[in-house]
Amino acid sequence: MREKELRLALVCYGGVSLAIYMHGVAKEIWKLLRASRAFHDREPNTLTDSGRVYHDLLAEVGRTQQLQVIADIAAGSSAGGINAVFLAHAIATGQDFGALTELWLTEADIDRLLDPDAKPTSRWSKVYAEPLIWMAGRRYAELFEEVEPDTREEVRGRLSRLIRSRWFEPPFSGANFTRDILNAFDAMAAAPPGPPLIPPGLPLDLFVTVTDFHGHPERLRLNSPGEVVETEYRLVLAFHDSGQALPRHLADTPELALAARATASIPGIFPALQLAEIDGELAARGQAWPGRAAFLERVFPGRIARGEDLGSIALVDGGVLDNAPFRPAIAALRHRPANREVDRRVLFIDPTPGKSAIRLRPGPPPGAPGFFTNIFRSLSDIPREQPIRDSLDSLHAISRRAKRLRYVVDGMRPAVEAAIAHAFGPGLALQGLTAERLAGLRGGAHTLAARESGFTYPAYGQLKLSGVVEAVAELLVTLGGHDARAGGTERVRAALWAHVRAHGIGTVDAPGDPEADRVPYVAFLRAFDLGFRIRRLRGLIRAMNAVAAATGGAERATLETLKLELYALLAPFLARAAPERLSAPCATTAAHAHADPGPALDALAAALDLRALDAETDAGFVAVLARVPLDARQALLLAYLGFTFFDIATLPLHQDDGLDETDEIKVERIAPEDTSFLRPGAGSLKGARMNSFAAFFARAYRENDYLWGRLHAAERLVDILLSTLPVDAPAPPGLAHRFKVAATRAILDDEAPRLTAIGDLIDALRYDLARVG
């Protein structure tokens, strides 16, 4: 049975009170991940509500392919940042994400969010503000007309208390917000945990955008002057779990709480986050933060190096400058390990597509903008809501390159196979093959490719060498703790290139004997060129896919099983360059790489030990070939030996994207506008009103948006799961509808006892469900 991983990179937008909608979406993703883990581990389907439905759907998909769903990247900003933090924590620890739901419904309320010192002391406080309340009521009259009279009064009452709270200071309490976030982590930890929702060895990355209010200096290198300093306000708090150690650990909860509190610090609503607030709350709880110093040094290295007072740091909402953090999520796609075929999707959650989450007025103004509208919208709305076209264009470019690479390889294959067969004989696969003989054949094929390519080979060799040198420099910077912001990266690069030139490594001899260790260039690549080996094995796996697709029955099943063994040969190469693995043997020498890179290179070469791994790989591939049906053996052997031909032609097309997953990267969206299973989703969210603050004013609105978050996500996730099926084995007609009905019914049954303020909506949805089911 064909095995595939559906890997999700999640990007969560900001949206103020629409955080509650995004909690519903994130909860549904969490339930899918739990169902996938249980199904993959062959556990009985004891899950509840929609989790049981997803388990059944995976079993249905399993008639064609074994699918495992994994979320290994999460990025978020503002309201989306909070949800990304909690979901990533649940994925890493296996803790109960569902334990947060009641906290969202109860605590995300104006009366609880208001700072105690800001609340009006009596009904007569700021009585002169009553005209403002009346004007607000008229401006959002439609908001009150669409709800029950008692809910209208609830909203008006909360709006009155908000407007009569303190002025010219943030009305919401930062300390209470921090306390709520820490309480949420406690609630997750209190519930019985399950296993992590990501396999061992697979990294998990979390990125949360914040805005450094005062900014921090960044050095920019120019030709003349050599260096200038500018102030940078964007800040991405990055958290990484390599997956190499158990139990998995993404970050200490105080660090995650700081990220969640900072990214949602809406200017004028919450005070900016300062470290004293986190320290004070932790002290009041008696909670330790053992990694505080290391965390601050990692996030604010420049300030610490300059001896600045960290107490002056002020962090505000990440959505001010980056409300859709695609860039760090895309960057994290580089060098992801894979143990089987990967279907990579970037999934972004946008509760208000095409609209600003916070607007200066309800609709677009007619004609030319006024004086203040022009100023304030240019300063706030436009930077916050800049479309994501650039990020999507980047992803589409990667996918286009992947298609182009496949087209080039497919077109070259007949000529390459003919050249290899002519050089080594047409019955190569019938001859006795050992690991030693395979290594010799591989060296001979490399020499043949170098000779046949003529003047192209030196250019290819220089391109490959430069990529390896840059990758080694990047690794030494990380291992040695060099400060990239203070020019540490450039110093290591310069020293490394000087070493390359001084030792003759940059001289590419062709055709020559490229496997001879006497050639410095070859010796360097044999010690450090991970990329070539990874590309070769991935090319071999793609060849196995092509052979399997052309066969059927028991032979195809055998090839699918053997393909997993090829992924097992690939895995050690992907893990070799993990800084966590290399830190102990290489950190000391890497710290001095800017002065003398020689000892650092020696230590790194010994730690990587690629020559021994090459021998193990050759032996493993020989063992796989011995079990491959005879008619497929020749094709796989020719693909392996002929890889240098392909690499010479395609390496320039990679454009240094560094991606190991060379298939297309597809983009998916979850938004109300994308759903129509029961009723059109656009306009279904109450929290989108009142400049996206409305859900803070009434529990009924929060229940409404949370429920729609789950329903919209369930509809889209069913479609995404079924879209992973092969083109030649699509989902049977009606399958998607059947599982959407089952998931919707399960969600309504699960939530009806909890969501008592929207009983009429649940009844109406059940009626709609009976009608379409």
Side-chain angles (χ1 to χ4, degrees):
M1 181 65 67
R2 185 176 186 176
E3 294 198 11
K4 181 188 288 189
E5 288 180 3
L6 172 61
R7 287 198 189 170
L8 303 177
L10 306 173
V11 178
C12 306
Y13 281 27
V16 197
S17 75
L18 292 169
I20 299 154
Y21 171 80
M22 284 184 278
H23 170 69
V25 174
K27 185 173 181 178
E28 211 57 28
I29 294 172
W30 172 71
K31 284 184 172 290
L32 172 60
L33 297 176
R34 290 178 73 227
S36 176
R37 188 212 58 79
F39 179 78
H40 185 264
D41 291 348
R42 293 177 170 79
E43 294 179 0
N45 191 358
T46 58
L47 300 169
T48 60
D49 61 275
S50 58
R52 173 180 289 275
V53 177
Y54 296 133
H55 194 286
D56 291 341
L57 178 55
L58 289 168
E60 189 70 33
V61 171
R63 298 175 183 272
T64 302
Q65 65 183 9
Q66 294 296 314
L67 182 68
Q68 185 175 14
V69 186
I70 297 168
D72 62 337
I73 299 170
S77 178
S78 192
I82 297 176
N83 282 285
V85 165
F86 284 118
L87 182 57
H89 183 63
I91 291 171
T93 63
Q95 292 181 0
D96 186 4
F97 184 81
L100 303 177
T101 298
E102 192 55 41
L103 288 173
W104 274 112
L105 296 177
T106 303
E107 300 299 329
D109 184 274
I110 285 289
D111 285 345
R112 292 180 180 268
L113 294 170
L114 279 175
D115 192 310
D117 295 334
K119 293 180 179 179
T121 56
S122 73
R123 63 186 301 265
W124 303 108
S125 297
K126 290 192 177 69
V127 67
Y128 47 82
E130 290 299 330
L132 297 178
I133 302 168
W134 177 80
M135 290 173 62
R138 285 180 58 84
R139 181 175 179 182
Y140 299 105
E142 77 282 358
L143 178 70
F144 304 115
E145 293 172 358
E146 295 182 2
V147 296
E148 303 270 336
D150 56 345
T151 307
R152 296 179 206 167
E153 294 307 312
E154 179 186 5
V155 173
R156 283 197 176 98
R158 281 166 169 74
L159 184 60
S160 171
R161 288 189 287 278
L162 175 63
I163 292 180
R164 290 186 293 112
S165 66
R166 65 186 178 196
W167 292 359
F168 310 114
E169 289 186 62
F172 289 179
S173 168
N176 284 354
F177 191 13
T178 296
R179 191 173 304 121
D180 288 341
I181 291 171
L182 289 170
N183 287 341
F185 282 115
D186 290 343
M188 291 178 66
L197 302 183
I198 184 169
L202 183 62
L204 173 64
D205 284 288
L206 167 66
F207 304 97
V208 182
T209 64
V210 299
T211 303
D212 186 347
F213 185 81
H214 298 301
H216 52 276
E218 289 282 359
R219 290 179 171 86
L220 304 179
R221 297 185 65 84
L222 307 177
N223 179 59
S224 178
E227 185 178 86
V228 298
V229 177
E230 290 199 350
T231 302
E232 175 66 70
Y233 298 92
R234 293 173 299 177
L235 182 62
V236 177
L237 302 180
F239 303 93
H240 176 74
D241 171 19
S242 68
Q244 300 299 318
L246 295 176
R248 297 191 71 120
H249 180 72
L250 182 62
D252 294 340
T253 52
E255 299 167 16
L256 297 175
L258 182 149
R261 164 69 174 89
T263 192
S265 298
I266 305 169
I269 303 300
F270 284 105
L273 173 67
Q274 296 189 288
L275 288 175
E277 180 181 300
I278 300 291
D279 292 336
E281 181 57 31
L282 292 175
R285 302 162 72 93
Q287 183 174 344
W289 184 0
R292 182 182 188 276
F295 172 75
L296 296 178
E297 185 174 1
R298 178 170 66 84
V299 176
F300 305 109
R303 283 192 168 96
I304 291 178
R306 293 187 296 272
E308 295 182 10
D309 176 20
L310 298 186
S312 63
I313 294 171
L315 304 178
V316 299
D317 193 292
V320 171
L321 295 176
D322 189 359
N323 202 43
F326 275 84
R327 184 172 300 176
I330 295 172
L333 294 175
R334 300 178 65 214
H335 307 302
R336 309 302 281 192
N339 294 320
R340 54 183 56 80
E341 183 181 352
V342 171
D343 186 340
R344 167 63 75 182
R345 310 289 178 99
V346 174
L347 174 61
F348 69 98
I349 305 167
D350 184 1
T352 57
K355 308 181 186 70
S356 298
I358 299 178
R359 303 177 299 281
L360 295 179
R361 55 187 300 166
F371 178 75
F372 288 107
T373 299
N374 189 14
I375 292 175
F376 289 119
R377 187 159 190 265
S378 297
L379 292 177
S380 178
D381 271 11
I382 292 177
R384 182 184 183 95
E385 302 294 344
Q386 175 65 21
I388 61 172
R389 184 180 62 215
D390 291 347
S391 298
L392 295 185
D393 284 348
S394 174
L395 288 170
H396 293 326
I398 292 171
S399 295
R400 285 195 299 271
R401 286 202 298 276
K403 290 180 180 179
R404 189 160 64 243
L405 287 170
R406 291 199 300 270
Y407 179 79
V408 170
V409 169
D410 291 343
M412 291 178 59
R413 182 169 286 112
V416 171
E417 291 179 350
I420 296 294
H422 177 74
F424 300 110
L428 187 62
L430 298 176
Q431 303 171 19
L433 196 62
T434 64
E436 293 75 14
R437 184 162 185 267
L438 179 64
L441 290 171
R442 181 161 44 79
H446 198 125
T447 301
L448 177 64
R451 184 180 298 113
E452 293 290 329
S453 60
F455 289 109
T456 304
Y457 186 80
Y460 160 75
Q462 293 293 349
L463 178 63
K464 185 163 67 163
L465 175 66
S466 66
V468 175
V469 171
E470 294 297 329
V472 170
E474 183 179 329
L475 193 56
L476 292 179
V477 167
T478 301
L479 293 172
H482 298 273
D483 187 354
R485 295 176 178 174
T489 300
E490 291 303 317
R491 287 193 291 271
V492 172
R493 288 183 67 255
L496 189 54
W497 276 111
H499 178 90
V500 166
R501 288 188 290 270
H503 290 78
I505 297 171
T507 302
V508 180
D509 295 324
D513 182 4
E515 291 291 319
D517 284 342
R518 60 181 175 78
V519 180
Y521 162 76
V522 175
F524 185 83
L525 293 184
R526 292 197 69 180
F528 299 108
D529 193 358
L530 269 170
F532 178 83
R533 294 160 165 96
I534 290 171
R535 293 193 300 273
R536 181 171 61 199
L537 284 170
R538 289 200 180 279
L540 182 60
I541 291 170
R542 285 193 292 274
M544 178 75 89
N545 281 332
V547 171
T551 61
E555 185 173 313
R556 178 166 184 169
T558 299
L559 293 175
E560 292 291 347
T561 301
L562 293 175
K563 184 171 67 176
L564 297 180
E565 297 191 26
L566 296 182
Y567 274 110
L569 296 178
L570 173 65
F573 289 103
L574 296 172
R576 264 316 196 258
E580 297 85 356
R581 179 186 178 277
L582 302 170
S583 178
C586 301
T588 301
T589 54
H592 303 286
H594 62 290
D596 182 8
L601 289 174
D602 292 340
L604 183 59
L608 291 172
D609 197 13
L610 294 184
R611 300 188 186 210
L613 192 53
D614 285 338
E616 294 174 13
T617 303
D618 286 337
F621 181 45
V622 168
V624 168
L625 282 178
R627 288 172 288 155
V628 169
L630 186 59
D631 55 349
R633 192 178 305 166
Q634 180 83 355
L636 294 178
L637 188 56
L638 292 177
Y640 189 65
L641 296 178
F643 177 75
T644 303
F645 287 90
F646 299 119
D647 204 46
I648 290 171
T650 60
L651 185 61
L653 300 179
H654 282 282
Q655 297 185 17
D656 197 32
D657 56 31
L659 293 175
D660 288 337
E661 296 167 5
T662 54
D663 292 329
E664 296 177 64
I665 299 175
K666 300 172 184 176
V667 182
E668 310 281 357
R669 184 178 77 170
I670 295 180
E673 277 78 348
D674 304 329
T675 58
S676 59
F677 168 57
L678 284 183
R679 55 181 70 178
S684 59
L685 304 187
K686 302 292 181 67
R689 305 180 184 191
M690 295 177 69
N691 263 347
S692 300
F693 281 86
F696 293 146
F697 285 89
R699 179 174 175 113
Y701 294 171
R702 295 192 290 279
E703 291 186 3
N704 175 89
D705 290 2
Y706 161 69
L707 178 63
W708 279 116
R710 289 198 65 184
L711 295 177
H712 291 166
E715 178 178 344
R716 292 290 295 118
L717 291 175
V718 169
D719 288 334
I720 291 170
L721 284 175
L722 293 179
S723 72
T724 66
L725 290 171
V727 176
D728 58 350
L735 185 67
H737 180 83
R738 175 160 63 88
F739 276 96
K740 288 177 183 179
V741 168
T744 302
R745 180 176 292 113
I747 292 170
L748 294 178
D749 291 344
D750 180 53
E751 296 294 352
R754 187 206 317 266
L755 307 182
T756 56
I758 56 169
D760 290 346
L761 173 61
I762 292 177
D763 290 341
L765 290 175
R766 280 177 166 156
Y767 174 80
D768 292 345
L769 191 63
R771 181 169 49 82
V772 302

